[in-house]
Amino acid sequence: MEYKNKHVLAPMVRVGTLPFRLLAAQYGADITYGEEIIDHKMIKCDRHINEYLGTTDFVERGTENVVFRTCPEERNRVVFQMGTSNAVRALTAAQLVSKDVAAIDINMGCPKSFSISGGMGAALLSKPELIHDIITTLKRNLDNTITCKIRLLKSSEDTVELARRIEKAGVSALAVHGRRVPDRPRDPAKWDEIADVVAALSIPVIANGDVFEYEDFERIKGATCVMVARGALWNASIFSPSKSSWEDVKREYVRQCILWDNDVKSTKHTLKEMIAHYSSLELAEGKAVIKSANTENVAMV
């Protein structure tokens, strides 16, 4: 993976499935993260070649539940993001998918209670020894690029110290979300504290937080790459200098979902987020999406 002036799609739960990743790439995203997948869930999967779709599917054993789906088209840009709290389990999960993705990323920033209670996500921010163990285990045993994504700590000095330890463990790049664990999305991202990390490290830093327009890519000074979450969720053409209307992007997203047989729950969740931002779920379109039982229903909205 090359990290220089790249525009990056952030990992987003229930959003970052194959159709949305390909949609973002279609509009100009250089690197696309999948949604976070917990190691416990991944190690229960088998790898299947889906000849009908032309995809590689990781299917939960004993079910038809596709936990992760990818395709050759995205092989050199897709990042598999994993939630983990154990180096051996992380390696077992990563080995399953290693030949099908460009990079493996460890989520060290999720503030949700289910992550923290399981020792994953932001819980890792206070466990530098475990972070080191996970990263070095993956580095020793895989040929993939290894990265991780963190949040800001209580002080900029603490964040820089942790970032240096992560760099020393051997990651190829570090993504930094410019918010602390207690912060909410409405709280402004602290770009100046991301800049402190950039200045302290020699590896590429991917800046994340409050990128809502194409021009914001240039406003975050110093970072090697810039990562977008909500800005891309609401309109994936943010990766293009000439932004498309959200309605056009929405229609293209639905087309991709049909083409790649996306899980209807994921499709509906993503569409509801788009509609809630630009319109209202209380209007006819929003109500129709909520009632839709399958992707074909969604396409008729």
Side-chain angles (χ1 to χ4, degrees):
M1 290 282 276
E2 175 67 31
Y3 294 93
K4 187 171 184 181
N5 300 322
K6 301 297 185 184
H7 296 168
V8 184
L9 175 69
M12 290 182 279
V13 174
R14 297 191 300 278
V15 175
T17 55
L18 179 60
F20 197 85
R21 297 195 303 269
L22 293 177
L23 180 73
Q26 180 178 313
Y27 285 114
D30 302 301
I31 299 171
T32 53
Y33 281 58
E35 60 176 336
E36 178 198 23
I37 294 175
I38 306 304
D39 55 4
H40 285 286
K41 197 169 189 70
M42 195 65 186
I43 62 178
K44 295 176 183 176
C45 293
D46 291 322
R47 182 179 182 273
H48 295 276
I49 300 299
N50 186 326
E51 295 183 357
Y52 178 73
L53 291 177
T55 60
T56 302
D57 296 349
F58 294 85
V59 182
E60 190 172 2
R61 282 187 288 276
T63 75
E64 296 182 355
N65 179 33
V66 178
V67 173
F68 181 69
R69 170 172 285 161
T70 185
C71 69
E73 180 185 335
E74 66 168 3
R75 169 65 178 81
N76 294 323
R77 64 170 177 265
V78 64
V79 179
F80 179 81
Q81 195 194 55
M82 178 167 39
T84 187
S85 60
N86 178 277
V88 174
R89 196 166 57 241
L91 177 61
T92 303
Q95 285 173 326
L96 282 170
V97 76
S98 62
K99 291 182 173 59
D100 301 295
V101 300
I104 307 288
D105 184 85
I106 304 302
N107 183 339
M108 300 181 183
C110 180
K112 302 291 186 183
S113 58
F114 79 89
S115 283
I116 293 177
S117 63
M120 303 176 291
L124 291 172
L125 295 175
S126 59
K127 300 176 181 177
E129 293 81 8
L130 178 54
I131 289 175
H132 183 273
D133 189 24
I134 292 170
I135 293 169
T136 54
T137 299
L138 295 179
K139 285 287 292 181
R140 277 196 311 268
N141 294 281
L142 299 172
D143 293 328
N144 303 77
T145 295
I146 306 299
T147 62
C148 59
K149 184 172 185 284
I150 67 171
R151 280 188 173 237
L152 300 176
L153 274 65
K154 290 183 179 179
S155 71
S156 185
E157 293 77 16
D158 289 344
T159 306
V160 167
E161 181 182 350
L162 178 64
R164 283 176 170 155
R165 295 184 72 161
I166 291 172
E167 178 181 40
K168 191 174 180 181
V171 296
S172 298
L174 175 66
V176 182
H177 185 164
R179 293 182 175 86
R180 296 185 172 87
V181 173
D183 290 345
R184 300 277 67 86
R186 64 179 177 272
D187 297 317
K190 300 169 181 65
W191 290 355
D192 56 334
E193 293 193 31
I194 297 177
D196 292 339
V197 176
V198 174
L201 302 189
S202 57
I203 59 170
V205 172
I206 306 167
N208 174 218
D210 289 355
V211 178
F212 300 120
E213 300 294 340
Y214 185 82
E215 292 71 26
D216 292 334
F217 286 116
E218 299 302 319
R219 290 175 56 209
I220 302 183
K221 299 298 181 184
T224 313
C225 305
V226 177
M227 176 181 279
V228 194
R230 287 176 296 158
L233 167 59
W234 296 332
N235 189 327
S237 70
I238 189 174
F239 294 104
S240 171
S242 52
K243 199 171 186 179
S244 301
S245 72
W246 79 275
E247 291 94 343
D248 287 346
V249 173
K250 178 187 63 178
R251 281 190 288 270
E252 178 59 18
Y253 171 66
V254 172
R255 190 185 75 82
Q256 294 278 4
C257 287
I258 295 170
L259 184 64
W260 297 104
D261 192 25
N262 197 45
D263 178 73
V264 68
K265 292 179 182 177
S266 164
T267 303
K268 287 175 62 174
H269 172 79
T270 304
L271 287 173
K272 286 191 292 184
E273 290 290 329
M274 292 182 190
I275 293 167
H277 180 69
Y278 287 105
S279 179
S280 170
L281 291 173
E282 297 302 315
L283 298 179
E285 181 184 38
K287 289 181 178 179
V289 168
I290 292 170
K291 291 180 181 178
S292 295
N294 51 50
T295 306
E296 288 71 23
N297 293 156
V298 173
M300 299 296 291
V301 173

